[in-house]
């Protein structure tokens, strides 16, 4: 759900409070859990340079472009 939300809002900064409210509305989630989700998305996209999912300091995260590999569909 987290990656789908970023994809649906690609190109704009999504702050962590918004992510917590939308993705985990009735669950207490730590910042560490959010960071782990971002790390897993970057790993899956081979985004070692953080060019696809960027961290915008003190603001949130932005998905800069959508990536699709036809071989993995």
């Amino acid at each position: 759900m987290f990656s789908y939300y970023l994809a649906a809002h690609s190109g704009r900064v999504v702050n962590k409070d918004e992510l917590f409210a939308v993705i985990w509305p009735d669950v207490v989630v730590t910042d560490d859990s959010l960071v782990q989700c971002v790390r897993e998305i970057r790993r899956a996209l081979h985004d070692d340079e953080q060019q696809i999912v960027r961290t915008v300091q003190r603001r949130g995260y932005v998905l800069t472009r959508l990536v699709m590999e036809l071989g993995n569909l």
Side-chain angles (χ1 to χ4, degrees):
M1 174 93 171
F2 179 74
S3 58
Y4 293 113
Y5 192 79
L6 281 181
H9 298 279
S10 66
R12 87 168 174 86
V13 177
V14 179
N15 69 47
K16 71 177 185 177
D17 291 334
E18 177 181 351
L19 289 167
F20 288 146
V22 172
I23 307 302
W24 300 285
D26 299 317
V27 180
V28 176
V29 179
T30 65
D31 287 350
D32 291 337
S33 296
L34 179 60
V35 169
Q36 181 62 33
C37 286
V38 172
R39 186 178 299 126
E40 290 173 9
I41 291 170
R42 286 179 175 144
R43 187 176 306 131
L45 296 174
H46 306 286
D47 186 23
D48 299 329
E49 300 295 320
Q50 299 183 13
Q51 297 300 307
I52 300 169
V53 179
R54 292 188 179 199
T55 300
V56 181
Q57 287 196 356
R58 296 184 181 87
R59 292 190 54 212
Y61 300 95
V62 61
L63 182 68
T64 59
R65 62 181 180 230
L66 296 177
V67 177
M68 181 183 301
E69 291 185 34
L70 295 177
N72 291 333
L73 291 177

